[in-house]
Amino acid sequence: MELLKKDFYFDLPQELIAQDPLADRSASRLLLLDKKTGETEHKVFTDIVDYLHTGDCLVLNNTKVIPARLMGTKSETGAAIEVLLLKRREGDVWETLVKPGKKAREGAVICFGDGLLTGKVIGVVDEGNRLIQFQYDGIFEEVLDRLGEMPLPPYITHKLADKNRYQTVYAKYEGSAAAPTAGLHFTNELLKRVEEKGVRIAYVTLHVGLGTFRPVKEDNLQNHHMHAEFYQVTQEAADTINSTKQSGGRVICVGTTSCRTIESAADEQGKVLAGSGSTEIFIYPGYRFKVLDNLITNFHLPESTLIMLVSALAGRENVLSAYKTAVEEQYRFFSFGDAMFIK
């Protein structure tokens, strides 16, 4: 059956897009969706512990968002330029997204923070992204921490008061241009309660690229090409997930990024293999999940690859019906919004 982008459209009032995080991470609402029946229930996020069982495995993405948005000026003219770090190519050369691009021709020098950091455009690559060679004194990460801002998604217009609120409490390995937002609901206390219940936790890493916010341009989903993202699965995480499956426990991913990681790392028999690589996996209805059983996720944009992934697990009609309910019940949407547990 041919699937079209418009099959995943739903009407979302602008005011339901959460602009600020809640003071208490775990105070978000939680919509339970039964993937078989389509039935929904309304809870709060701390209730998630009641739906996790001894012997289950919770898979978390421990990537860390870097403060990748830099506001600079062009050395020659003083014109304002915004640079978004996408990925480190080698050493101090980064692939970046520059606005306005026409001011960042090859050879242009951009100055940040009164000269604490300077960058020279040394090349233009795919989709007009710029390669920039940076110069600075000291440690790049420390300079970035001083000068950079969190690269919030385009639909969030408010400034973030506390950088850590766009970071999970278990964020460890720097490299993401966006947060794995389903994990933002967990506090250390809540994770402790989960472990005390006999639920095992497996940490995997997928560095989220900005392509996660790119709209699907193709009408026919089969023509859409996903951006590549780096992932890593340790032997310990692979063993934890595989032994959970063998003993009849459920593998529950926190977020679409954790899901894409383990599905990319699994062989055809559903065994997760340790290792690292680049994934362009695109999951939409018709996909057969090899490892994942259940998913904790946020509410996603209409016609996005994320709502398509969720629909692959719970069925398009069930998901669109649940989203309609969420809109009626005034749930908060997107990165700082409420959560859904597909059980």
Side-chain angles (χ1 to χ4, degrees):
M1 185 184 89
E2 190 175 85
L3 282 172
L4 302 175
K5 180 175 77 169
K6 66 176 178 10
D7 295 335
F8 298 88
Y9 179 80
F10 65 93
D11 216 12
L12 179 68
Q14 198 73 18
E15 65 270 16
L16 294 186
I17 299 173
Q19 290 294 330
D20 302 288
L22 296 179
D24 174 6
R25 289 173 180 267
S26 59
S28 301
R29 294 164 75 189
L30 178 68
L31 187 140
L32 302 180
L33 170 61
D34 187 311
K35 64 178 191 270
K36 292 192 177 73
T37 66
E39 286 174 19
T40 55
E41 291 177 74
H42 306 288
K43 302 287 178 182
V44 292
F45 194 78
T46 46
D47 293 334
I48 194 70
V49 181
D50 300 335
Y51 299 93
L52 305 176
H53 312 317
T54 303
D56 285 346
C57 174
L58 202 60
V59 183
L60 304 175
N61 180 8
N62 60 10
T63 186
K64 194 170 190 179
V65 187
I66 57 173
R69 178 169 274 134
L70 289 161
M71 311 308 279
T73 53
K74 197 170 170 183
S75 291
E76 300 146 38
T77 62
I81 290 188
E82 180 183 326
V83 173
L84 198 56
L85 305 180
L86 297 177
K87 62 181 168 205
R88 188 178 231 139
R89 283 294 187 94
E90 55 188 353
D92 290 316
V93 176
W94 285 74
E95 183 177 334
T96 67
L97 189 65
V98 177
K99 288 196 279 194
K102 63 178 183 294
K103 290 186 179 160
R105 295 199 170 91
E106 210 162 320
V109 176
I110 307 163
C111 181
F112 308 92
D114 297 327
L116 272 179
L117 179 68
T118 58
K120 184 176 183 181
V121 180
I122 60 169
V124 180
V125 290
D126 300 347
E127 297 177 13
N129 293 346
R130 286 351 189 224
L131 291 180
I132 294 183
Q133 169 110 42
F134 287 102
Q135 285 189 312
Y136 52 90
D137 288 327
I139 298 165
F140 183 73
E141 285 72 20
E142 288 177 5
V143 174
L144 194 60
D145 210 44
R146 275 183 70 180
L147 301 180
E149 296 174 16
M150 280 300 184
L152 294 179
Y155 45 75
I156 292 177
T157 55
H158 292 193
K159 204 166 165 64
L160 187 62
D162 175 9
K163 274 185 188 176
N164 287 327
R165 285 303 276 109
Y166 192 58
Q167 207 80 272
T168 62
V169 296
Y170 46 82
K172 190 173 182 183
Y173 298 109
E174 293 189 327
S176 268
T181 54
L184 295 178
H185 305 285
F186 282 97
T187 60
N188 287 317
E189 294 74 29
L190 192 53
L191 285 170
K192 191 162 174 275
R193 284 178 58 202
V194 167
E195 288 193 277
E196 282 168 355
K197 196 166 178 184
V199 176
R200 302 163 82 189
I201 293 181
Y203 290 100
V204 299
T205 308
L206 181 134
H207 292 325
V208 189
L210 274 191
T212 192
F213 302 118
R214 279 211 185 107
V216 176
K217 293 196 172 85
E218 301 288 346
D219 288 330
N220 186 334
L221 297 199
Q222 286 178 318
N223 298 331
H224 176 70
H225 181 68
M226 288 289 276
H227 57 288
E229 293 170 317
F230 172 84
Y231 75 88
Q232 185 156 33
V233 178
T234 62
Q235 191 62 57
E236 184 187 3
D239 291 345
T240 301
I241 295 165
N242 292 333
S243 63
T244 297
K245 292 296 271 190
Q246 282 161 5
S247 58
R250 297 175 303 167
V251 172
I252 300 160
C253 284
V254 175
T256 55
T257 61
S258 303
C259 164
R260 292 177 65 239
T261 303
I262 64 169
E263 291 294 316
S264 299
D267 65 16
E268 287 311 309
Q269 283 67 51
K271 184 184 178 187
V272 175
L273 308 172
S276 62
S278 180
T279 179
E280 297 176 358
I281 191 171
F282 179 23
I283 297 175
Y284 57 91
Y287 178 84
R288 187 180 63 81
F289 287 90
K290 296 180 282 193
V291 189
L292 172 131
D293 296 298
N294 305 94
L295 181 68
I296 296 168
T297 186
N298 279 19
F299 290 93
H300 306 295
L301 279 82
E303 298 183 339
S304 64
T305 60
L306 305 176
I307 193 172
M308 292 164 189
L309 183 152
V310 172
S311 298
L313 180 63
R316 188 179 69 92
E317 289 79 6
N318 287 347
V319 167
L320 289 178
S321 171
Y323 270 53
K324 187 169 182 288
T325 300
V327 168
E328 287 164 3
E329 295 290 331
Q330 304 272 293
Y331 272 71
R332 299 162 78 247
F333 275 68
F334 306 162
S335 299
F336 289 138
D338 294 315
M340 175 190 264
F341 178 43
I342 300 175
K343 62 189 184 78

